[in-house]
């Protein structure tokens, strides 16, 4: 776990230093969109008065802006002083730190692409949670599910309900949370389809299948819901129960015996509409409508989402949506989950919100006015989701945490209805904002179990309200809640595993993957802080090691990055899915500023630019050899081509005249690392050989040399790794420093111009030239990045730059290609 307090080194990229101090500045570690509100929080465990603060350029060490308006806020735990530091006035893209008192914040980026890829990133956790076939294990699980319980005539019979997602770090499955997760993803996809990529197939394994990955995940959820509602009036609510909790295990190793043999099938709870009891605990079920409404809304929206990909299933889903809705009308009330050995269940108490959403979605899908009238009537039963503004609530008592039915009704073409439900949305936000006034982080969410899910819900409601009305009064709270999830909180940690990978994030989440040392919950949103009273009173909660967050805990609220604390550090499937709309909207906002990112990536680095453009980029790397510099410079000048050059620290020191000549001629001159380190093992790319501190020190050193050579580090943020070899971890660390990794487009062999005849991978100049022409003829070179070396070993007597470079450029120019520098080609 990394705790970073910034130390500025003027004139170079500065490096986070892992130390404890008495002052901290919390920021959104992922970064800030240029037009978004930007407010950091200063904390001190002493009574320090801060009268001003400054925004500092992390590349140059220069003060960019100074502010004299720190906003004093209430104490937090052991923190005697807190201030909100508003730097929204800066919208210039760059890499920065804040300085206040005697401390610096961690570095952060302001730019339009800070949220790029995040909406797809959280799908990693959703795939990891799959039941049936689990792509993380590449193995199947729970293939015998399951056996019906609580059905008046079918109890004990087998039913095929394979699929879906495991709920959290156990392997239970609930319609309550799975339906909400499915709906949240569908809602996000229809709002922001342009942000989602296709890198995985329907089974969640690497490989595009022509369908956006989020639609693959949605289909996985809808297939399961379809099985759990096999016929009209036959609905099931849950698979397995807390007898599952007998130690950590992987899904494929689940051999719990529920009465049908070890691992040979789990109980499938029928929605009986009556209280269900196993052991000593009884739930408070009063009906079926809460579950029926969730089925209906998912099926209705699913019909729309799947229409282009699975039209037959889409038709079936719309019919099932109508049936599910009617069943909810006929069986009002709430259907709670069941437990056997502990008192912990999802204690959902409201159901009219589910029926409201179902009716609203059916109205949007069919245009039938009777559904609109019913949605309004259901919506009036609960104008504001009751937890909003409250100090506490039971576990999932008011669920889902956001009422998207209100949002749909606020957008209908009926002024009276629209005004009423817009007012309802505003009323909920007002309650949360009122409660947030004394919080340094402007977070008015109660610290109940799964508080991060509530935080995501309020931020979503803020944004939806703003989009509907144009009213910005809650925009600062919206931004603060998003920032909270990415590190602007008392503990200075992101609440999403490995997002961002360069920051502080949960490294010890409550999961069998950690316990069994086989991985972690990448992309999963953890539960979040809870009241100390909850932590102290839950069964089985404890800490397994010394708490590194001790200085930031309060007597009232705690968060622990500890595997044994399932109350604050367990990722949840529905909480993760609830981020879909927020992250996709933030990414879309960036696209609207910078344009779509048409680059192609491998391992987090750009390996091809826009393939719709007839453009090629020539790039040259060098560590310690310079023999081709003059000839290459002359050739590029003769052909009217600008190139991009990437050098190690040693090269900058040894060949300053070459650097100056290239720079003066207008070529892009960038970094190739300082010490030409090997970042990851040749035999196993995901095995990183260095730590983040060494990576940052190395990059700091090379940018220092570049700065002394007269090259502005802030204008050279594209970086080619040493050996042209890296992995996703290196790419993420680079991104955290405001750098973009670029590499050659594979397949043309140009990067083999350094090989010598004694090597197995030797390629002659003629072979390299012919290979480029073959690729051009077969598929074209649009967007290709052709990489060469500025110098090669003397054993390679035939130098590509001597005879073939000009020939290659001239030939490709005749074929209509334009040569562009990398900054031009990759875009913003």
């Amino acid at each position: 776990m990394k705790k970073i307090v910034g130390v500025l080194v003027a004139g170079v990229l500065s490096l986070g230093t892992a130390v404890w101090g008495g002052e901290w500045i919390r920021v959104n570690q992922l970064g800030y969109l240029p037009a978004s509100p930007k407010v950091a929080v200063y904390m001190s465990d002493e009574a320090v008065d801060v009268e001003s603060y400054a925004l500092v350029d992390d590349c140059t060490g220069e003060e960019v802006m100074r502010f004299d308006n720190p906003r004093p806020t209430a104490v937090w735990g052991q923190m005697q002083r807190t201030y909100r530091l508003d730097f929204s006035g800066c919208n210039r893209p760059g890499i920065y730190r804040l300085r206040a008192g005697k401390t610096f914040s961690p570095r952060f980026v302001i730019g339009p692409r800070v949220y790029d890829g995040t909406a797809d990133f959280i799908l990693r956790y959703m795939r990891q949670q799959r039941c049936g076939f689990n792509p993380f294990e590449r193995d199947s699980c729970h293939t015998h599910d399951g056996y019906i319980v609580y059905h008046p005539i079918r109890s004990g019979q087998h039913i095929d309900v394979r699929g879906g997602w495991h709920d959290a770090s156990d392997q239970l499955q609930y319609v309550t949370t799975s339906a909400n997760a499915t709906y949240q993803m569908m809602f996000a996809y229809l709002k922001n389809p342009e942000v989602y990529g296709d890198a995985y197939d329907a089974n969640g394994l690497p490989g595009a299948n022509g369908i956006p990955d989020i639609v693959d995940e949605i289909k996985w959820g809808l297939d399961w819901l379809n099985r759990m509602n096999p016929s009209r009036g036959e609905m099931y609510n849950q698979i397995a129960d807390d007898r599952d909790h007998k130690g950590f295990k992987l899904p494929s190793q689940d051999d719990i015996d529920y009465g049908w043999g070890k691992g040979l099938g789990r109980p499938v709870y029928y929605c009986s509409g009556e209280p269900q009891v196993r052991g000593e605990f009884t739930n408070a079920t009063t009906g079926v409508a809460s579950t029926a409404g969730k089925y209906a809304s998912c099926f209705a929206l699913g019909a729309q989402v799947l229409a282009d990909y699975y039209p037959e299933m889409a038709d079936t889903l719309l019919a099932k949506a109508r049936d599910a809705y009617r069943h909810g009308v006929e069986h009002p009330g709430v259907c709670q989950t069941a437990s056997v050995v502990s008192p912990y269940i999802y204690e959902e108490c409201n159901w009219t919100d589910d029926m409201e959403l179902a009716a609203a979605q059916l109205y949007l899908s069919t245009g039938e006015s009777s559904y609109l009238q019913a949605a309004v009537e259901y919506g009036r039963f609960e104008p504001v989701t009751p937890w909003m503004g409250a100090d506490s609530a039971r576990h999932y008592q008011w669920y889902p945490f956001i009422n998207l039915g209100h949002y749909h009704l606020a957008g209908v073409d009926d002024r009276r209805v629209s005004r009423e439900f817009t007012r309802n949305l505003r009323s909920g936000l007002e309650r949360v904002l009122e409660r947030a006034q004394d919080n340094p982080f402007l977070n008015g969410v109660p610290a109940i179990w799964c508080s991060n899910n509530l935080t995501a819900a309020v931020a979503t409601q803020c944004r939806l309200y703003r989009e509907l009305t144009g009213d910005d009064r809650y925009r600062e709270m919206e931004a603060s809640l998003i920032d909270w999830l990415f590190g602007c909180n008392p503990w200075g940690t992101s609440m999403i595993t490995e997002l961002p990978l360069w920051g502080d994030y949960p490294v010890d989440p409550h999961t069998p993957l950690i316990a069994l040392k086989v991985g972690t919950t990448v992309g999963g949103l953890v539960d979040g802080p809870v009241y100390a009273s909850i932590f102290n009173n839950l069964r089985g909660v404890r800490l397994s090691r010394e708490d590194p967050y001790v200085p930031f805990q309060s007597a009232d609220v705690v968060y622990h990055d500890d595997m044994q604390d399932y109350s604050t550090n367990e990722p949840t499937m529905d909480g993760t899915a609830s981020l879909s709309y927020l992250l996709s909207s933030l990414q879309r906002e960036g696209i609207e500023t910078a344009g779509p990112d048409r680059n192609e990536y491998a391992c987090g680095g750009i390996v091809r630019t826009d393939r719709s453009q007839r453009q090629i980029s020539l790039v040259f790397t060098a560590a310690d050899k310079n023999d081709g510099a003059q000839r290459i410079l002359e050739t590029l000048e003769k052909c009217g081509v600008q190139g991009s050059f990437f050098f190690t620290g040693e090269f900058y020191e040894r060949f300053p005249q070459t650097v100056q000549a290239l720079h003066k001629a207008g070529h892009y001159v960038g970094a190739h690392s300082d010490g030409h380190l090997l970042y990851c093992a040749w035999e196993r790319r995901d095995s990183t050989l260095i730590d983040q501190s060494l990576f940052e020190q190395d990059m700091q050193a090379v940018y220092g040399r570049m700065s002394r050579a007269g090259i502005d580090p802030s204008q050279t943020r594209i970086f080619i790794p040493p050996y042209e070899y890296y992995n996703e971890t290196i790419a993420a660390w680079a991104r955290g420093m405001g750098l973009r990794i670029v590499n050659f487009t594979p397949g043309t062999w140009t990067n083999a111009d350094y090989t010598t005849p004694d090597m197995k991978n030797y390629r002659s100049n003629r072979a390299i030239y012919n290979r480029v022409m073959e690729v051009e003829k077969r598929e074209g070179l649009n967007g290709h990045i052709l990489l060469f070396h500025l110098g090669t070993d003397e054993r390679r007597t035939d130098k590509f730059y001597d005879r073939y470079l000009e020939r290659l450029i001239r030939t490709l120019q005749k074929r209509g290609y334009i040569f562009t520098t990398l900054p031009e080609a990759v875009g913003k």
Side-chain angles (χ1 to χ4, degrees):
M1 187 182 304
K2 302 175 287 294
K3 300 292 169 286
I4 299 177
V5 177
V7 176
L8 187 79
V9 181
V12 298
L13 283 170
S14 52
L15 175 66
T17 305
V19 297
W20 286 115
E23 300 174 72
W24 298 267
I25 299 175
R26 301 309 197 196
V27 297
N28 181 329
Q29 298 174 104
L30 199 58
Y32 301 88
L33 294 170
S36 71
K38 307 172 191 70
V39 183
V41 175
Y42 168 91
M43 310 187 306
S44 174
D45 57 12
E46 297 180 352
V48 176
D49 293 325
V50 175
E51 296 180 355
S52 65
Y53 54 102
L55 186 67
V56 177
D57 188 304
D58 190 57
C59 300
T60 65
E62 296 177 358
E63 187 175 294
V64 176
M65 300 179 77
R66 174 167 286 277
F67 306 89
D68 298 318
N69 59 340
R71 232 184 305 165
T73 47
V75 298
W76 169 275
Q78 302 168 63
M79 300 298 126
Q80 299 303 303
R81 288 286 190 277
T82 64
Y83 292 89
R84 288 181 64 78
L85 311 179
D86 191 333
F87 57 104
S88 302
C90 180
N91 57 16
R92 189 186 75 183
I95 304 92
Y96 302 97
R97 292 183 189 268
L98 281 168
R99 181 178 63 223
K102 297 179 180 179
T103 195
F104 289 86
S105 74
R107 72 169 59 87
F108 56 86
V109 176
I110 296 176
R113 300 206 179 276
V114 294
Y115 287 96
D116 277 14
T118 55
D120 276 326
F121 185 82
I122 61 173
L123 295 179
R124 297 188 182 195
Y125 180 68
M126 300 302 293
R127 287 189 288 270
Q128 196 177 68
Q129 291 299 106
R130 284 192 183 190
C131 187
F133 177 75
N134 185 280
F136 178 81
E137 288 196 81
R138 293 179 178 259
D139 199 355
S140 295
C141 65
H142 303 115
T143 57
H144 300 285
D145 282 344
Y147 291 90
I148 297 169
V149 295
Y150 284 105
H151 194 286
I153 58 174
R154 293 195 61 194
S155 288
Q157 294 182 17
H158 184 268
I159 182 172
D160 181 3
V161 286
R162 293 167 298 157
W165 302 286
H166 304 127
D167 194 56
S169 292
D170 52 31
Q171 287 155 33
L172 280 66
Q173 295 176 257
Y174 303 101
V175 169
T176 303
T177 51
S178 295
N180 181 44
T182 304
Y183 192 92
Q184 293 270 1
M185 289 190 291
M186 290 190 290
F187 182 80
Y189 173 68
L190 290 178
K191 282 284 188 181
N192 306 304
E194 65 272 30
V195 312
Y196 287 101
D198 175 23
Y200 293 84
D201 65 17
N203 283 324
L205 296 173
N209 64 345
I211 298 174
D213 294 333
I214 193 169
V215 176
D216 288 326
E217 215 55 41
I218 288 165
K219 172 71 161 43
W220 193 265
L222 288 171
D223 280 342
W224 183 72
L225 291 172
N226 201 18
R227 293 190 183 102
M228 291 285 281
N229 177 206
S231 63
R232 184 173 187 266
E234 186 181 0
M235 294 182 176
Y236 298 90
N237 199 46
Q238 174 178 335
I239 300 179
D241 52 48
D242 57 346
R243 287 173 288 177
D244 166 277
H245 301 168
K246 294 183 178 180
F248 288 118
K249 58 191 177 301
L250 294 177
S252 63
Q253 299 169 356
D254 186 1
D255 63 353
I256 302 296
D257 188 343
Y258 291 92
W260 298 280
K262 288 187 175 182
L264 296 181
R266 303 182 294 173
V268 184
Y269 283 78
Y270 174 68
C271 296
S272 64
E274 299 175 350
Q276 295 174 347
V277 57
R278 297 294 292 260
E280 60 181 295
F281 301 103
T282 306
N283 65 21
T285 291
T286 60
V288 182
S290 63
T291 296
K294 291 183 179 72
Y295 274 118
S297 60
C298 278
F299 290 156
L301 188 55
Q304 183 178 347
V305 171
L306 297 188
D308 292 337
Y309 302 104
Y310 303 95
E312 292 184 6
M313 183 176 179
D315 292 341
T316 299
L317 288 179
L318 186 56
K320 293 192 75 166
R322 292 179 183 272
D323 287 344
Y325 175 76
R326 283 196 293 269
H327 193 64
V329 172
E330 294 164 1
H331 298 83
V334 66
C335 184
Q336 292 189 346
T337 63
S339 66
V340 174
V341 296
S342 74
Y344 306 135
I345 62 171
Y346 291 136
E347 299 182 69
E348 188 175 7
C349 290
N350 55 341
W351 57 272
T352 56
D353 58 332
D354 297 301
M355 292 299 291
E356 175 192 358
L357 179 58
Q361 190 60 61
L362 278 164
Y363 168 69
L364 294 173
S365 298
T366 67
E368 296 175 19
S369 59
S370 59
Y371 287 124
L372 175 59
Q373 181 180 349
V376 171
E377 291 173 358
Y378 280 121
R380 285 172 177 164
F381 279 98
E382 191 176 275
V384 175
T385 304
W387 74 261
M388 301 186 81
D391 290 331
S392 189
R394 296 194 301 276
H395 190 44
Y396 278 54
Q397 182 178 5
W398 312 111
Y399 188 78
F401 301 123
I402 180 173
N403 189 332
L404 290 174
H406 279 11
Y407 166 74
H408 288 314
L409 292 177
V412 299
D413 189 21
D414 181 315
R415 187 176 180 185
R416 181 181 61 82
V417 171
S418 176
R419 289 177 63 182
E420 177 182 350
F421 285 89
T422 299
R423 183 172 62 249
N424 290 342
L425 291 173
R426 185 170 62 248
S427 296
L429 296 176
E430 279 294 332
R431 294 183 184 187
V432 178
L433 181 60
E434 181 179 348
R435 196 173 181 277
Q437 293 307 303
D438 291 332
N439 186 288
F441 299 90
L442 202 61
N443 188 334
V445 168
I448 57 177
W449 204 349
C450 294
S451 64
N452 279 341
N453 299 17
L454 276 64
T455 298
V458 180
T460 296
Q461 187 159 322
C462 285
R463 190 175 186 94
L464 290 173
Y465 174 83
R466 179 163 59 87
E467 289 181 355
L468 275 170
T469 65
D471 182 352
D472 281 351
R473 74 180 77 182
Y474 306 111
R475 194 168 188 199
E476 183 181 351
M477 180 169 70
E478 173 192 332
S480 295
L481 294 170
I482 294 167
D483 294 346
W484 172 280
L485 295 174
F486 290 107
C488 192
N489 55 55
W491 307 273
T493 180
S494 168
M495 295 292 175
I496 304 164
T497 305
E498 295 194 2
L499 188 62
L501 190 61
W502 61 84
D504 191 298
Y505 55 81
V507 297
D508 197 22
H510 181 81
T511 170
L513 303 180
I514 292 288
L516 301 175
K517 300 180 180 179
V518 296
T520 190
T521 54
V522 177
L525 175 71
V526 297
D527 287 333
V530 298
Y531 292 122
S533 59
I534 292 178
F535 172 75
N536 292 329
N537 287 287
L538 285 175
R539 294 184 179 187
V541 170
R542 60 185 176 86
L543 297 184
S544 62
R545 56 189 172 84
E546 184 178 352
D547 179 13
Y549 289 131
V550 166
F552 313 115
Q553 310 292 12
S554 78
D556 299 319
V557 178
V558 297
Y559 166 75
H560 307 108
D561 184 9
D562 192 301
M563 187 183 65
Q564 296 299 334
D565 182 7
Y566 65 81
S567 68
T568 71
N569 211 40
E570 181 177 13
T572 62
M573 173 269 301
D574 65 311
T576 300
S578 74
L579 293 173
S580 299
Y581 167 74
L582 278 177
L583 295 178
S584 62
S585 293
L586 290 162
Q587 186 169 337
R588 186 201 67 206
E589 188 177 332
I591 290 173
E592 290 171 352
T593 301
D597 183 357
R598 302 192 187 281
N599 298 304
E600 297 177 17
Y601 291 80
C603 299
I606 297 170
V607 295
R608 188 170 184 170
T609 65
D610 187 353
R611 67 167 64 217
S612 71
Q613 301 297 313
R614 207 164 177 78
Q615 64 184 23
I616 295 172
S617 297
L618 292 180
V619 302
F620 302 85
T621 61
D624 58 355
K625 294 179 175 59
N626 190 39
D627 48 275
Q630 188 60 37
R631 184 58 186 265
I632 290 170
L633 189 58
E634 291 172 354
T635 298
L636 296 180
E637 184 178 5
K638 186 188 300 185
C639 295
V641 168
Q642 294 292 303
S644 303
F645 294 81
F646 299 86
F647 302 137
T648 64
E650 178 183 357
F651 191 97
Y652 278 104
E653 292 295 325
R654 289 182 59 184
F655 306 110
Q657 291 180 335
T658 297
V659 172
Q660 290 303 317
L662 291 167
H663 189 48
K664 184 177 180 180
H667 300 288
Y668 179 86
V669 182
H672 192 46
S673 85
D674 189 61
H676 209 245
L677 306 174
L678 180 62
Y679 290 151
C680 40
W682 291 113
E683 66 279 5
R684 185 181 171 190
R685 192 167 194 148
D686 62 354
S687 177
T688 306
L689 302 177
I690 64 172
D691 61 22
Q692 184 175 358
S693 176
L694 179 57
F695 173 79
E696 293 187 346
Q697 289 173 9
D698 183 71
M699 294 307 300
Q700 178 186 19
V702 71
Y703 272 97
R705 297 181 196 267
M706 291 169 60
S707 182
R708 291 190 291 275
I711 297 169
D712 183 355
S714 67
Q715 300 302 310
T716 52
R717 312 310 298 167
I718 294 173
F719 160 55
I720 291 186
Y723 303 100
E724 294 79 54
Y725 194 61
Y726 62 98
N727 58 24
E728 286 191 353
T729 298
I730 298 297
W733 291 348
R735 186 176 174 185
M737 299 181 77
L739 302 172
R740 302 179 79 180
I741 282 184
V742 175
N743 204 7
F744 62 85
T745 307
T748 61
W749 296 354
T750 62
N751 59 302
D753 68 331
Y754 75 95
T755 57
T756 56
D758 57 305
M759 295 180 175
K760 290 182 179 180
N761 64 335
Y762 171 69
R763 297 283 187 269
S764 69
N765 293 337
R766 179 181 293 275
I768 292 171
Y769 178 87
N770 289 340
R771 176 70 172 187
V772 174
M773 293 300 108
E774 288 171 12
V775 173
E776 197 282 328
K777 182 178 180 180
R778 184 174 66 249
E779 60 188 57
L781 295 175
N782 288 14
H784 264 248
I785 301 168
L786 302 181
L787 183 143
F788 302 90
H789 293 86
L790 198 69
T792 61
D793 192 282
E794 60 184 15
R795 287 173 294 175
R796 184 177 181 109
T797 56
D798 56 333
K799 310 289 188 179
F800 193 88
Y801 54 76
D802 274 336
R803 296 180 52 200
Y804 278 90
L805 181 61
E806 181 176 352
R807 179 182 174 187
L808 179 68
I809 294 172
R810 298 284 193 195
T811 301
L812 293 175
Q813 285 177 327
K814 288 179 181 178
R815 297 188 182 186
Y817 290 97
I818 296 173
F819 288 85
T820 60
T821 63
L822 273 179
E824 294 175 278
V826 303
K828 296 180 181 178

